[in-house]
Amino acid sequence: MAQSQLAEQENGMRIQSIEALDALRQDILAHQDPKRPILIVCHGTGCLANGSPKVSDALRKAIAKAGFQAKVMPGIKTTGCHGFCSRGPLVIIKPAGLFYQQVKAGDAEEIVNTTLIKGDPVERLLYRDPNTKEPIPLEKEIPFYKHQQRVILRNIGKVDPTDIHDTIAAGGYQALAKTLTTFSPEEVISVVEKSGLRGRGGAGFPTGRKWRSAVAAKQKRGGPVYLVCNGDEGDPGAFMDRTIMEGDPHAVLEGMIIGAYALGCNQGFIYVRAEYPIAIKHLIIAMDQARAMGLLGQNILGTGFNFDIQINRGAGAFVCGESTALFTSIEGRAGEPRPKYVRSVEEGLWGKPTVLNNVETWANVPIIIEKGADWYNQIGVPNSTGTKVFSLVGKVNNVGLVEVPMGIPLGKIVEKIGGGVPGGEPFKAVQTGGPSGGCIPYALKEVAVDFDSLTKAGSMMGSGGMIVMDRRDCVVDVARYFLKFLEEESCGKCLPCRLGITRMREMLDTFSQGRGNKQDLDDLMGLAEAIQDGSLCALGGSAPNPVLTTVKYFKDEYLVHIEQQRCPAGVCKDLITYHIDSEKCTGCMVCARNCPQKCISGERKNPHQIEAETCIRCGICMDSCKFEAVQVS
Amino acid sequence: MLKFKINDQEVEALPEWTVLEAAREKGIHIPTLCYHEAVGPSGACRLCVVEVVEGNWSKVVISCMYPVKEGITVFTDSARVKNVRRWILEMLLAECPASKEIQTLAAEYGIKNSRFSIKNPEEQCMLCGLCVRVCREVVGVSAITTVGRGVHKVIGTPFRKPSEACVACGSCVTVCPTGAMQTRLDAVRGPVDAHKS
């Protein structure tokens, strides 16, 4: 070849054939030195907020200052989220895979001098086992990663999401090439069906069946079929889709292009919430690069197939994650759902057959095509195949993004990957499925995390939020929190949702204020059923779930609130008082300084007192006390 | 014609009908608030819920939008249906306490008082949106709209100013099921003097 594919690419040439894509990949790989040290700096949203741009800048300067010879010049790569958000900013040194945590800009020179030049690890930046305090230098050996199975997240944290060459070198768009050369549209649908893939947005509808219905609707009605990627992830504590869009945008695009080929679709939409600016930025960069290379737009890979994607930004409404509300929003009207008695695959966007899948569902498509349905449906359990990404948050040691095979016991995620609750106690409950889901108690820790088992337990898979709670979390308060969230986010179109959620929340308020009675609890169940049966869309229909599951599994705790006017977890402000244990108090004055009400008195080195009348029970004193002297009763 | 059952009666319907249309044709009563023949259904008030039994499963749907289907059985007054209606009506009593129509309807279901707190004793509007739909679909001017979301939602005009699009036709007042629009018309069309000139 007179001129390499890489050079042609840099001249702005489109890839005209499948062979040219393969040649380009070989060329990129041939130009990479596998022994060259690469410092991977996490630029996921969490690490960015923790100052990772300063770290990558400092590393760049330190490398320049150290004056490496051009031949072994270490590289720096900024990537999407590595998942271990509680330890950020993270720096991983390839090829060995050395894992540095909580790196600051000031550590840059030491990393360069000690690790890159001398070849020794910087001990103090290594991850340490919380129990044995032994350092674990390699990323793959850390328990948080060791027990995961990263399929969808395989490239996130490895590739630079703003450089399409990096994705192509890692195998990106190979599945698209395979699709366009070896599969008919019908065969693509068959593979997806056979893989057992179910929608990752929450309801778990079989993806292949959805596609097939859309093709049937298209044949029946004629006209276009549209394809939508739902990136309006809004559950509190959930950030799976954001991470995928930020860290591996090409996987989403590739999945959509394959889907478009299968469905005979020429126009797709990605609906992303506006609160995800980096996801939007990376998607736009990825789309521009894919278009310039002939992987998106007109005549994809020289095969004559046309498909393009438009990005729509959400305007801050949680309900727009509901498919029909999302369509209304794309159409330019206020995001309100409509009844789905006629399904979206028949009448969706602008009344045309529409396939809407979640970000993670689309990201599953390329790997299914690449490795085959049989490889995919070996992962997980029979009715829920593949892996699922969860955001593990709350009272757990290792907060972050995890990917596990479907069917794994809930307790294993929390205890093995999450490292359990700080302090070593068992967890009290895990809230799965966000505001539409429910609380699963410790007693059910062996429950398999798959679509059907979670639904049977009264919760749901949802989009993948997982909030761990310990004994200091009050279930009444948790249920109130989710109702309050939904009360604000209800679109207000149908009466059961708009009026009912507020009234349920008011009933819970009476419990947390010690004004409730047992009759109220029974009435609450009746109202919950009316909202489930009567609401227009799934937001209202599932809104009572957090209440129903907490009453189901923690009825005693509700009864203590009602009958004894007591909050065992010490959360409900009207039912608790703070006091200081004079035995434990050292008189350090920290609580008094932090108290916003200035209601803590006492001399230095003498036990303090809290004045109950002015105390607003904010708990700042308790959080700031190092001696556990502030107690709640 | 499709054949199915409502309660114990055999019913026939054209394939494009909804369950509500089939029921009304047969003279079977299903309560509604946001439904009006002049405009398309929206499914907001949920009072027209019915329980549909098909094979060995059942679900609660709204009759104003649920398409008729061969062989189904529809129950217009089952326990689940009554539970939904009763709670909606009890909440509506507190939401629009000034509406005589709501009080009459609630009394039909044996509800005289509401356990819920009343925010505005003068309120009649329950935000069914009929006024908005008739203004858009029949009059064709969209002078009014719903403003805001969820608990903050109100019927209003763009920028909360008298609407220049309003032709003062009074259609919104005519279709309003609770009489709420009567008191709001002036806010929508602006001072009457402005229309005279």
Side-chain angles (χ1 to χ4, degrees):
Chain A
M1 215 183 295
Q3 195 186 18
S4 76
Q5 284 291 336
L6 194 58
E8 262 186 39
Q9 249 308 297
E10 273 148 16
N11 292 336
M13 297 280 285
R14 288 168 62 90
I15 305 176
Q16 300 288 3
S17 68
I18 314 280
E19 296 74 34
L21 176 69
D22 200 45
L24 172 65
R25 180 180 3 262
Q26 301 302 337
D27 214 38
I28 300 168
L29 289 172
H31 280 79
Q32 283 178 355
D33 176 1
K35 285 185 194 150
R36 182 190 180 205
I38 305 277
L39 297 143
I40 291 179
V41 186
C42 180
H43 272 215
T45 298
C47 283
L48 283 176
N50 257 327
S52 67
K54 284 184 189 155
V55 175
S56 44
D57 280 349
L59 283 169
R60 221 167 261 130
K61 279 182 198 145
I63 288 172
K65 196 175 156 194
F68 288 92
Q69 288 177 342
K71 220 175 158 189
V72 288
M73 189 71 173
I76 288 186
K77 195 194 274 191
T78 56
T79 68
C81 177
H82 289 244
F84 208 173
C85 304
S86 53
R87 302 288 169 159
L90 305 175
V91 174
I92 286 101
I93 299 168
K94 296 277 178 183
L98 209 55
F99 181 90
Y100 288 155
Q101 60 172 11
Q102 290 165 342
V103 180
K104 305 227 157 33
D107 301 324
E109 289 201 7
E110 192 178 350
I111 292 175
V112 170
N113 292 333
T114 313
T115 309
L116 295 184
I117 295 174
K118 290 190 201 138
D120 297 327
V122 180
E123 287 280 340
R124 63 184 174 84
L125 295 174
L126 294 176
Y127 174 82
R128 278 169 197 278
D129 186 296
N131 300 319
T132 64
K133 307 288 172 210
E134 281 298 306
I136 306 176
L138 298 182
E139 183 180 16
K140 61 180 181 197
E141 300 294 331
I142 294 171
F144 176 77
Y145 292 106
K146 208 162 90 179
H147 298 287
Q148 292 190 45
Q149 184 173 0
R150 290 166 88 91
V151 174
I152 302 310
L153 303 178
R154 68 192 179 282
N155 284 336
I156 300 176
K158 293 201 175 69
V159 301
D160 177 353
T162 60
D163 178 7
I164 193 169
H165 287 121
D166 215 25
T167 299
I168 289 176
Y173 292 102
Q174 230 166 355
L176 176 65
K178 184 176 173 186
T179 303
L180 296 178
T181 47
T182 54
F183 289 142
S184 70
E186 162 60 33
E187 282 166 332
V188 177
I189 297 180
S190 294
V191 172
V192 174
E193 259 175 347
K194 216 176 141 204
S195 74
L197 175 65
R198 293 172 68 175
R200 299 305 197 233
F205 192 84
T207 307
R209 203 197 300 168
K210 188 185 268 187
W211 293 12
R212 193 172 290 288
S213 314
V215 171
K218 187 191 173 193
Q219 278 159 359
K220 200 170 87 185
R221 289 162 185 250
V225 53
Y226 294 119
L227 191 152
V228 179
C229 170
N230 186 349
D232 196 49
E233 177 179 59
D235 287 1
F239 51 98
M240 300 77 51
D241 295 346
R242 183 188 76 200
T243 301
I244 295 172
M245 290 187 283
E246 284 178 5
D248 196 4
H250 289 288
V252 181
L253 301 185
E254 190 181 359
M256 288 179 76
I257 303 167
I258 294 169
Y261 172 77
L263 294 159
C265 162
N266 304 116
Q267 181 64 53
F269 300 83
I270 305 181
Y271 191 91
V272 195
R273 62 190 295 216
E275 293 90 333
Y276 284 179
I278 302 167
I280 294 171
K281 185 177 147 200
H282 285 187
L283 281 168
I284 290 174
I285 294 172
M287 280 165 48
D288 285 346
Q289 292 180 346
R291 265 191 218 108
M293 293 184 69
L295 294 163
L296 182 69
Q298 298 292 309
N299 193 16
I300 292 171
L301 285 171
T303 60
F305 169 55
N306 305 326
F307 174 68
D308 214 334
I309 299 173
Q310 169 187 324
I311 289 186
N312 285 72
R313 264 175 253 203
F318 175 74
V319 72
C320 284
E322 199 279 341
S323 60
T324 58
L326 188 151
F327 297 152
T328 331
S329 176
I330 291 183
E331 289 165 8
R333 291 176 283 133
E336 287 182 359
R338 59 162 177 77
K340 284 200 265 194
Y341 301 139
V342 180
R343 292 169 307 154
S344 305
V345 287
E346 297 193 17
E347 283 182 25
L349 209 46
W350 291 290
K352 303 293 175 203
T354 304
V355 165
L356 176 137
N357 284 127
N358 157 273
V359 167
E360 195 183 331
T361 315
W362 288 117
N364 265 281
V365 173
I367 192 89
I368 291 172
I369 297 293
E370 193 185 321
K371 304 237 176 164
D374 289 331
W375 173 85
Y376 188 86
N377 63 30
Q378 295 301 306
I379 308 171
V381 288
N383 242 333
S384 299
T385 57
T387 58
K388 177 79 192 83
V389 184
F390 290 98
S391 50
L392 188 62
V393 296
K395 305 284 178 60
V396 63
N397 276 310
N398 303 333
V399 168
L401 205 67
V402 304
E403 184 176 354
V404 288
M406 292 271 196
I408 187 175
L410 180 68
K412 191 174 171 189
I413 300 181
V414 177
E415 284 160 2
K416 284 268 165 54
I417 299 172
V421 172
E425 294 171 40
F427 63 86
K428 176 176 179 175
V430 180
Q431 159 81 26
T432 71
S436 317
C439 286
I440 298 176
Y442 181 74
L444 293 183
K445 72 176 187 136
E446 292 304 320
V447 69
V449 178
D450 62 55
F451 288 107
D452 306 323
S453 307
L454 288 181
T455 308
K456 230 172 105 190
S459 182
M460 63 189 273
M461 177 76 79
S463 56
M466 214 172 245
I467 304 169
V468 182
M469 292 178 272
D470 70 0
R471 66 180 170 87
R472 281 198 59 197
D473 290 304
C474 165
V475 290
V476 180
D477 190 65
V478 167
R480 264 181 75 215
Y481 166 80
F482 282 114
L483 288 182
K484 242 182 163 137
F485 174 83
L486 292 169
E487 187 181 351
E488 285 294 315
E489 294 298 342
S490 164
C491 81
K493 180 173 173 179
C494 78
L495 295 180
C497 178
R498 176 166 55 86
L499 305 179
I501 295 176
T502 305
R503 297 308 188 183
M504 278 182 88
R505 197 261 304 147
E506 285 174 1
M507 286 162 112
L508 289 187
D509 283 351
T510 64
F511 300 159
S512 68
Q513 290 161 0
R515 296 189 286 115
N517 60 51
K518 264 178 106 172
Q519 182 60 37
D520 291 342
L521 195 58
D522 293 339
D523 291 351
L524 185 64
M525 295 297 104
L527 177 55
E529 199 192 327
I531 297 173
Q532 278 183 325
D533 278 343
S535 291
L536 197 165
C537 78
L539 188 152
S542 59
N545 283 1
V547 179
L548 291 174
T549 52
T550 48
V551 172
K552 183 175 171 187
Y553 295 120
F554 298 96
K555 193 162 185 180
D556 289 351
E557 200 170 325
Y558 275 88
L559 291 177
V560 170
H561 280 78
I562 293 168
E563 288 168 352
Q564 303 173 22
Q565 286 86 48
R566 208 160 58 75
C567 175
V571 174
C572 297
K573 284 185 184 174
D574 292 302
L575 305 180
I576 55 167
T577 48
Y578 283 94
H579 60 137
I580 292 172
D581 183 341
S582 54
E583 302 272 301
K584 287 185 176 171
C585 179
T586 61
C588 71
M589 314 242 351
V590 168
C591 59
R593 264 203 307 279
N594 286 323
C595 175
Q597 288 295 94
K598 301 287 166 223
C599 66
I600 301 177
S601 56
E603 297 294 309
R604 177 169 283 280
K605 293 190 178 167
N606 284 318
H608 298 349
Q609 291 89 37
I610 298 174
E611 197 182 308
E613 287 83 66
T614 36
C615 174
I616 54 167
R617 297 180 272 282
C618 65
I620 289 176
C621 50
M622 193 168 180
D623 292 338
S624 60
C625 180
K626 288 195 179 97
F627 309 99
E628 291 180 6
V630 181
Q631 288 166 356
V632 62
S633 61
Chain B
M1 294 292 257
L2 292 173
K3 284 188 183 146
F4 66 102
K5 272 169 89 175
I6 299 182
N7 302 327
D8 287 333
Q9 291 188 42
E10 293 287 345
V11 181
E12 287 191 32
L14 289 170
E16 64 270 22
W17 283 6
T18 62
V19 168
L20 181 67
E21 283 167 332
R24 296 228 160 143
E25 178 72 19
K26 194 81 180 170
I28 301 166
H29 175 67
I30 297 174
T32 58
L33 276 173
C34 74
Y35 178 80
H36 197 286
E37 292 87 346
V39 292
S42 103
C45 79
R46 321 301 285 182
L47 273 183
C48 72
V49 283
V50 292
E51 189 169 353
V52 170
V53 179
E54 198 178 354
N56 51 8
W57 57 282
S58 78
K59 59 181 169 181
V60 175
V61 300
I62 45 166
S63 58
C64 72
M65 291 184 87
Y66 196 78
V68 292
K69 200 173 166 193
E70 184 77 36
I72 55 171
T73 307
V74 175
F75 293 99
T76 59
D77 244 352
S78 69
R80 273 172 84 184
V81 167
K82 276 192 205 152
N83 183 52
V84 176
R85 286 194 198 137
R86 281 204 186 117
W87 279 103
I88 292 176
L89 288 167
E90 188 176 339
M91 291 192 289
L92 277 182
L93 270 187
E95 204 64 22
C96 22
S99 168
K100 288 272 177 298
E101 291 80 355
I102 299 286
Q103 287 164 17
T104 313
L105 199 54
E108 279 175 34
Y109 283 81
I111 300 159
K112 299 256 162 56
N113 300 303
S114 179
R115 79 195 72 192
F116 301 116
S117 59
I118 290 169
K119 276 172 254 162
N120 178 6
E122 306 292 314
E123 188 60 83
Q124 289 178 294
C125 176
M126 52 131 185
L127 287 166
C128 70
L130 248 184
C131 50
V132 174
R133 281 182 285 144
V134 80
C135 190
R136 184 176 65 223
E137 294 175 31
V138 179
V139 188
V141 296
S142 292
I144 45 175
T145 181
T146 55
V147 181
R149 188 174 72 208
V151 288
H152 308 293
K153 200 170 204 162
V154 288
I155 301 288
T157 48
F159 311 109
R160 300 196 166 135
K161 286 182 174 161
S163 172
E164 285 175 17
C166 177
V167 294
C169 67
S171 300
C172 51
V173 179
T174 315
V175 296
C176 179
T178 63
M181 213 52 212
Q182 185 77 49
T183 53
R184 287 172 197 221
L185 190 60
D186 284 346
V188 173
R189 70 182 172 196
V192 178
D193 296 349
H195 285 271
K196 279 182 186 158
S197 61

